[in-house]
């Protein structure tokens, strides 16, 4: 039964190309989201999907586990609010300026973190992110400290769409942005740069001996992922209006790793699927129980022990060519001490 | 909720700022730095010996400490004896550590890399914290100093609470005990050998997997002891573990993962640095450790004592 379906899926995928299949599947999933969860939560899912997609560049394609991406997400959110408060009146100036500024920071942090690899890299990214958290928390005059901050009322009409006033319009805009970034990331992953990145993921030593400046490639991947995370954070601030320093805390850094893993690291659709499942799951959990940490922990343990390839990885193993997921498995087995 | 910071580990820092420029004040602050440093050393030693043998960086270490704090609180509450509380915390976290190794981590060796093991311990950390909240509630517990620790000791230049002197002494004794265990016992010899070359030890007919369990248990118990020791200083609340784990990461990065000496030197250094920064510019007290780490990484990427690059 499964093998018969698998053959058909495989031949279909061969005909249309896996990338197109992924794109169409994502589009279909996005299309049913507002009906499934309501436009507000659907927008939340899309924001997290953008975040996870950015994160996936460094984890899934670069092969390095960052535990500090909440810093870029949170700074994106704070940056957009602070620049609207003090510098610009237009959202469409504030967002790009914020993203550029946070990207610059991610270059510095990336440079520092990439002095080491593997476990050290994870710990250093975590510590640097906590540094940002502490600063935002302490600098209460500017950031509001533990009270958080809220976005000033702004007009943000795009043609006929009014994303600030209409939740469904917001969802359209953020989905369009997601699809745009999806295409961009797909393009990057298939570019010569993306191929070198994959080579580094498979064997850093070999890539180094082939003459590639490994640090530079990884830094570029890290920066891209920081930039996309910052953009996601900026949109998050617009969506939720109110933000608190917990956006910069390591909890969120962990959550984006989990989202990416649930969906499937190193895949294009994985981050979207992961954030759909994660947001649905966490919303349901917080509604039905006060003790979501226990279930969250159990879910992480279950996924890591049983299905580290994630949903897309599992589907791929079942239905598609094994080749691509082979490299994912390599990534999972990598960094063995 | 997360506002309590490492410097508030040592209440009194901010209040006493109004009477600066006194020898006794500064020497008391030096001692505060020593207390924090001792706690950080104990936590990082656990992280480091687990990493040394198993190659795992244990994200659940902070929440193991949390279990230690709460168990000691409960035992003290029930029996009135502080030392029974510490004993309870040690036993509980030792068993917890060995159980974790047997039931979960065991299945990851050889199958998964450090990346997934790290995520697994992240899940365990959530589970442990969730369970602590489930059992003891989300609001903190007031952890009173044992009666004998309330008095102040006259240390010539200044007088200092007896309990904190006890923390420093107990920390020193524990560190010495771990050192002696690793360097003077047969089991310690095996652990050190395993840290250098696991396969070789395995091939010599020694049950490495049992060694793993013991080491994970000892590491967890070190965290649990630190948790019991810091209870009366900080009180018990659910985010205590996370708050102490992150500076401990900084300590192991600065000291060099897997380096016993590095953990001690870096732990004491960072404890001192944080408290002293708190004295002169309290806003920067938390940030200083991270800044220090960044500087060390720029100058010596392997950490102060890390020659071996085991994790890469």
């Amino acid at each position: 039964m499964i093998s018969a379906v698998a053959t058909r899926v495989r031949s279909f995928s061969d005909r249309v190309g896996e990338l197109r299949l992924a794109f169409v599947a994502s589009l279909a999933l996005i299309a049913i989201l507002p009906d499934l969860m309501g436009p507000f939560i659907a927008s939340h899912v899309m924001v997290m999907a953008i975040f996870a997609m950015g994160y996936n560049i460094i984890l899934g394609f670069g092969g390095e586990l960052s535990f500090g991406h909440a810093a870029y997400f949170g700074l994106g959110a704070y940056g957009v609010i602070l620049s609207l408060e003090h510098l610009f009146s237009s959202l469409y100036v504030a967002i790009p300026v914020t993203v550029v500024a946070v990207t610059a920071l991610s270059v510095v942090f990336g440079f520092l973190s990439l002095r080491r690899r593997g476990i050290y890299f994870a710990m250093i990214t975590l510590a640097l992110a906590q540094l940002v958290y502490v600063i935002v928390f302490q600098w209460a005059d500017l950031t509001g400290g533990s009270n958080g901050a809220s976005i000033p009322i702004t007009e943000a009409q795009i043609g006929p769409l009014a994303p600030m006033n209409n939740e469904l319009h917001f969802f359209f805009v953020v989905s369009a942005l997601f699809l745009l970034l999806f295409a961009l990331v797909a393009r990057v992953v298939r570019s010569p740069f993306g191929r070198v990145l994959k080579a580094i993921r498979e064997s850093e030593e070999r890539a180094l001996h082939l003459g590639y400046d490994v640090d530079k490639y990884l830094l570029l991947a890290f920066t891209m992922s920081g930039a996309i995370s910052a953009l996601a954070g900026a949109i998050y601030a617009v969506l939720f209006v109110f933000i608190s320093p917990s956006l910069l805390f390591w909890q969120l850094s962990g959550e984006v790793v989990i989202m990416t893993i649930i969906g499937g690291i190193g895949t294009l659709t994985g981050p979207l699927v992961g954030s759909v499942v994660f947001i649905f799951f966490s919303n349901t959990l917080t509604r039905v129980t006060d003790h979501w940490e226990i279930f969250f922990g159990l879910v992480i343990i279950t996924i890591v022990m049983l299905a580290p390839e994630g949903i897309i990885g599992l589907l791929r193993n079942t239905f598609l060519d094994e080749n691509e997921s082979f490299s994912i498995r390599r990534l999972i087995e990598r960094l063995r001490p | 909720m997360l506002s309590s910071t490492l410097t508030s580990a040592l209440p009194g820092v901010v209040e006493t700022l109004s009477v600066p420029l006194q020898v006794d004040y500064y020497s008391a602050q030096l001692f505060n730095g020593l207390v924090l440093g001792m706690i950080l050393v104990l936590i990082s030693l656990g992280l480091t010996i687990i990493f040394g043998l198993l190659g795992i960086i244990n994200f659940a270490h902070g929440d193991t400490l949390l279990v230690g704090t709460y168990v000691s609180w409960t035992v003290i509450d029930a029996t009135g004896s502080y030392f029974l509380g510490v004993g309870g915390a040690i036993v509980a976290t030792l068993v917890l550590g060995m159980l974790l190794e047997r039931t979960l981590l065991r299945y990851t060796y050889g199958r998964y890399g450090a990346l997934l093991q790290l995520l697994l311990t992240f899940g365990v950390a959530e589970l442990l914290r969730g369970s602590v909240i489930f059992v003891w509630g989300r609001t903190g517990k007031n952890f009173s100093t044992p009666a004998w620790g309330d008095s102040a000791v006259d240390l010539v230049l200044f007088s200092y609470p007896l309990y904190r002197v006890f923390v420093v002494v107990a920390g020193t004794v524990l560190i010495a005990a771990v050192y002696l265990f690793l360097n003077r016992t047969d089991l310690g010899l095996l652990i050190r050998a395993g840290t250098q070359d696991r396969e070789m030890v395995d091939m010599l007919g020694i049950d490495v997997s049992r060694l793993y369990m013991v080491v994970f248990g000892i590491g967890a118990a070190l965290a649990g002891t630190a948790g019991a020791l810091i209870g009366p200083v900080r009180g018990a609340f659910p985010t205590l573990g996370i708050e102490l784990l992150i500076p401990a990461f900084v300590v192991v990065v600065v000291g060099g993962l897997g380096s016993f000496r590095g953990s001690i030197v870096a732990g004491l250094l960072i404890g001192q640095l944080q408290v002293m920064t708190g004295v002169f510019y309290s806003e920067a007290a938390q940030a200083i450790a991270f800044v220090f780490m960044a500087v060390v990484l720029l100058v010596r990427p392997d950490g102060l004592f890390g020659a071996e690059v085991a994790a890469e």
Side-chain angles (χ1 to χ4, degrees), chain B residues 109-120:
Chain B
Y109 308 141
R111 266 180 78 206
Y112 300 152
L115 190 152
L116 281 185
Q117 289 174 331
L118 186 152
L119 281 178
L120 180 66

Side-chain angles (χ1 to χ4, degrees), chain A residues 53-66 69 114 116-118 121 185 188-189 193-205 207 214-225 260 265-267 327-328 330-332 334-335, chain B residues 115:
Chain A
M53 197 167 57
Y55 180 75
N56 195 28
I57 298 177
I58 188 69
L59 174 62
F61 299 110
E64 290 295 329
L65 176 77
S66 157
H69 262 55
L114 286 167
R116 306 300 301 272
R117 297 281 192 277
F121 177 82
V185 172
V188 167
V189 168
F193 165 74
R195 281 173 209 284
V196 176
L197 208 56
K198 262 187 189 165
I200 295 171
R201 180 182 79 185
E202 297 303 308
S203 168
E204 179 170 346
E205 216 179 335
V214 170
D215 281 343
K216 213 172 268 173
Y217 279 92
L218 282 176
L219 183 58
L220 188 54
F222 190 90
T223 309
M224 285 178 63
S225 103
T260 315
I265 45 176
T267 65
S327 62
I328 304 297
R330 283 281 295 281
L331 174 59
I332 289 164
R334 229 195 70 152
L335 300 169
Chain B
L115 190 152

Side-chain angles (χ1 to χ4, degrees), chain B residues 100-181:
Chain B
L100 278 179
E101 200 279 334
R102 277 282 132 150
T103 52
L104 287 175
L105 291 166
R106 169 121 318 192
Y107 299 99
T108 64
Y109 308 141
R111 266 180 78 206
Y112 300 152
L115 190 152
L116 281 185
Q117 289 174 331
L118 186 152
L119 281 178
L120 180 66
T121 58
F122 177 68
V124 172
E126 292 292 316
L127 179 61
L128 285 182
R129 196 168 71 254
S131 312
V132 164
I133 292 170
F134 183 73
V135 177
W136 285 283
R138 231 170 251 281
T139 41
K141 298 283 184 202
N142 204 355
F143 213 127
S144 55
T145 315
W148 52 264
D150 273 334
S151 56
V153 203
D154 189 13
L155 293 173
V156 189
L157 278 176
F158 60 102
S159 62
Y160 200 68
L162 178 59
Y163 180 75
R164 294 193 183 179
V165 177
F166 166 74
V167 170
V168 174
V169 174
T172 314
V173 170
L174 263 171
I175 293 164
V178 173
Y179 179 82
L180 290 176
F181 168 72

Side-chain angles (χ1 to χ4, degrees), chain A residues 59 63-65 67 111-113 115-120 122-124 126-128 130-131 133-135 137-138 146 246 249-251 253-255 257-258 261 265 290-298 300-308 331-337, chain B residues 2-3 5 51 54-57 59 103-104 107-108 110-120 122-124 126-127 129-131 133-134 138 198 242 245-246 249-250 252-253 256-257 282-283 286-287 290-291 293-294 297-299 301-303 308-312:
Chain A
L59 174 62
E64 290 295 329
L65 176 77
F67 227 88
F111 173 77
L112 278 174
S113 316
R115 307 271 296 181
R116 306 300 301 272
R117 297 281 192 277
I119 288 177
Y120 286 93
M123 284 195 294
I124 296 164
L126 169 60
L128 289 174
Q130 285 305 110
L131 170 66
Y133 168 77
V134 164
I135 291 175
F137 201 98
Q138 293 272 353
S146 55
S246 68
F249 203 60
W250 79 327
Q251 191 80 30
S253 297
E255 283 175 10
V257 186
I258 300 304
I261 299 240
I265 45 176
D290 280 341
H291 297 284
W292 53 270
E293 290 102 338
I294 295 183
F295 297 95
F296 185 48
L298 287 175
I300 297 172
I301 294 169
T302 314
I303 289 166
V304 170
M305 296 298 281
L306 301 178
L331 174 59
I332 289 164
E333 287 165 1
R334 229 195 70 152
L335 300 169
R336 193 175 294 164
Chain B
L2 303 160
S3 65
T5 63
F51 177 81
L54 286 80
I56 290 173
I57 186 81
F59 264 48
T103 52
L104 287 175
Y107 299 99
T108 64
R111 266 180 78 206
Y112 300 152
L115 190 152
L116 281 185
Q117 289 174 331
L118 186 152
L119 281 178
L120 180 66
F122 177 68
V124 172
E126 292 292 316
L127 179 61
R129 196 168 71 254
S131 312
I133 292 170
F134 183 73
R138 231 170 251 281
R198 250 161 294 171
I242 299 176
L245 181 65
I246 291 164
F249 279 170
V250 173
V252 290
V253 170
L257 249 182
S282 63
E283 284 82 0
Q286 291 177 84
F290 303 118
V291 175
M293 181 195 72
L297 280 174
L298 278 174
V299 185
D302 293 335
E308 72 278 79
V309 190
E312 305 183 7

Side-chain angles (χ1 to χ4, degrees), chain A residues 34 43 161 167-177:
Chain A
S43 300
L161 295 173
E167 286 179 351
L168 200 58
H169 287 188
F170 190 97
F171 175 75
F172 289 148
V173 173
V174 69
S175 301
L177 198 60

